[in-house]
Structure formats: structure tokens, C-alpha cells
Amino acid sequence: MRVHVRQKEAKSLLTKASGFLEGYTHTLNPYSGCSFACSYCYVRQMPVALFHEGEAWGSWVDVKANAPELLEKELVRAKRRGPVTIFCSSATDPYQPVEAKERITRSLLDVMSGDLALRPDFLFVQTRSPLVTRDANLLARLGDRVRVSLTVETDREDVRRAFTPAAPPVQARLRALRELRARGIPVQATIAPVLPSSADFAERLAGIVDRVCIDDYFMGDGSGGRRTERIGVRAIYDALGLSDWYSRDAYQRVYEQLLRHFPQERVFVSQQGFLP
Ligand code: SF4
């Protein structure tokens, strides 16, 4: 899909966190839009996407070109009011392909990992892109004030391709997790939404990370699964002959596998895995 990239001046950057992310003070989105275009992404139904009427989700990205200047100003103000905990990002992927050239996320990390007075109390980086390893030096400066959560919904590449053809391959994500962890950066493998996977999935993860989170549409889409039903993801399960994985208890299969390879306190379910 051809992606239309536009440079925009954002009016504000840090947004008050609420709902599923109420454990944070703010969310931070360096871009609007996301060219990973995951089939199950419900951001396509949110106002930010509906505003781009006539443009398919995944076909446009707005670059918040003035983001670093804004962040600096807003962090000063926010920190005056108390602890600042940031979830990056709630409605885009901060390391989607355009970031390789635009480097907005990197410039924001530069702000947050530079002057001590501007450091957030905690930063959660949510991505499915190995590009995050490019910024390992900046992330490492934040010590235990940061966690990188890399989405790995499945270990089956055929399943990954069916649901998220524009997203990075599974192996590349696993390598990224390994690299970040080797560099001392707190990481988590995030199986969200849980997709059909092999019987070895948990074992493969156990060799790479010591913390995992698992979530599904029914717990994590903010509507008990109704949003996902409207998007029509069920059709992909049906086409793959894997409809039995589209159910409220399907996550239990992977959860039980995880408990055979990780201590229970290192396996987080849904919202618990995204808390600061
Ligand atoms: S990476 Fe995240 S924001 Fe981007 S399309 Fe996929 S689910 Fe949506």
C-alpha cells in the first residue's frame, strides 16, 4: 500500500491518559496514523482516523514535526504538577517505517533521556518494530525508568502474514528483544492480541525474555470484543481454518503454556502487563 506522509505542526503532544491506560499520567504519539495497518487495529475506528475520511487506515501518516520542542515545554509543565508516567504510543507505532527517516521518536527520546529535569518517572515504549534497537543507547540512559514492550502476537510467520502483512517478521522481533535485553534495557514480549501460535511459542520466548504479557480482543479492545467484531477480523480466522482461536478462552492455551516456562509473577494478563 502506498503511504501518504504529511508534515504537520501539532498543537499539543502529551495527552492525559485514561481508560485502559489510566495507570499512566500521559500518552505520547509521535505520529498520527500507522502504516503497519494491522487488520485488527481498532484505532481505524477512532476520531483521529475518521478525520481522514476516504483514506484507508495504514495509507497515511502525519508526522508531528514540532514534537521535540512541544515535548520539552509540556514536560516542564507536567513535572511541576507531580510524577510523570508516559505510555508511548497508544494510537500509532512509534517505530513504524517512517521513523527510520523522520526520527521523531528518537528526538523525543533525546529530550526524555537528556536533561535530568526532563526525565519522566516512567516511560513505556510499545512497538512491534525492530527499529527500536537503533535507539538502545538513549533507552539505556533511562535505566529502570523505561520498559520496551515488543508485540509478538504469534510465533507462526504464516499467521503473522495473514493478520499483519505490513508488520515486521516474527524472527526480527525476537532478535530485537534479545538485543535490547543484552544491552540491559528492561523488555517484555507482549502477546497482544494473542493469535494462533505453535505449541513451542512459550518455550521460544522463555529463551529470550523473562517477562511476558498476554492480552486478547475480549479483555483488551476496550469494548469486550465488540469493536473487533465490527472490524471483521473473524473472517481471517475462518479463511485460515483457525476459527477455534477466535474465542474468549483461546488465550488460556497460550497462558497455560507460558506458566510451564515462566514463573507466574512474570506472566501478566491484559491491563496488568501495561502498567508502569
Ligand atoms: S502497529 Fe499498533 S497502531 Fe499500528 S496498525 Fe498495528 S495495532 Fe494499529
Side-chain angles (χ1 to χ4, degrees), residues 34 36-38 41 57 92-93 128:
C34 183
F36 283 149
C38 306
C41 180
W57 178 245
T92 189
D93 190 310
R128 65 199 64 220

Side-chain angles (χ1 to χ4, degrees), residues 13-181:
L13 201 63
L14 289 174
T15 304
K16 191 173 179 305
S18 60
F20 192 81
L21 297 176
E22 64 195 1
Y24 289 83
T25 58
H26 299 88
T27 60
L28 171 59
N29 288 281
Y31 301 95
S32 294
C34 183
S35 64
F36 283 149
C38 306
S39 58
Y40 50 72
C41 180
Y42 55 77
V43 182
R44 56 167 46 82
Q45 296 182 329
M46 289 164 68
V48 63
L50 300 177
F51 183 70
H52 282 256
E53 203 184 342
E55 290 184 285
W57 178 245
S59 72
W60 57 272
V61 177
D62 292 345
V63 179
K64 299 182 183 176
N66 58 335
E69 300 85 67
L70 272 181
L71 181 63
E72 210 170 315
K73 278 190 217 144
E74 293 181 12
L75 268 178
V76 170
R77 277 205 300 271
K79 285 183 66 89
R80 262 192 227 127
R81 287 188 215 116
V84 172
T85 51
I86 299 176
F87 188 94
C88 176
S89 295
S90 55
T92 189
D93 190 310
Y95 288 100
Q96 62 177 301
V98 70
E99 167 64 16
K101 173 168 172 273
E102 299 293 342
R103 298 165 82 92
I104 301 293
T105 302
R106 184 174 176 86
S107 68
L108 299 178
L109 278 180
D110 227 354
V111 170
M112 292 186 278
S113 63
D115 187 342
L116 281 179
L118 293 176
R119 285 204 182 168
D121 295 270
F122 187 73
L123 173 69
F124 192 96
V125 178
Q126 176 61 53
T127 182
R128 65 199 64 220
S129 171
L131 180 59
V132 64
T133 58
R134 180 201 63 189
D135 294 344
N137 59 333
L138 300 179
L139 293 161
R141 280 197 216 153
L142 290 167
D144 60 4
R145 291 184 183 208
V146 73
R147 182 175 309 125
V148 176
S149 162
L150 237 144
T151 300
V152 191
E153 312 97 313
T154 174
D155 61 340
R156 281 181 55 176
E157 190 56 16
D158 61 327
V159 171
R160 195 279 303 161
R161 269 197 301 271
F163 285 88
T164 64
V170 174
Q171 276 304 331
R173 301 189 211 183
L174 297 179
R175 275 198 303 275
L177 277 167
R178 204 187 288 277
E179 182 180 337
L180 291 174
R181 190 169 176 216

Side-chain angles (χ1 to χ4, degrees), residues 163 217-218 228-229 231-239 243 246:
F163 285 88
Y217 311 125
F218 307 96
T228 309
E229 192 64 47
I231 294 169
V233 176
R234 183 188 286 274
I236 304 177
Y237 290 81
D238 294 345
S243 308
Y246 190 87

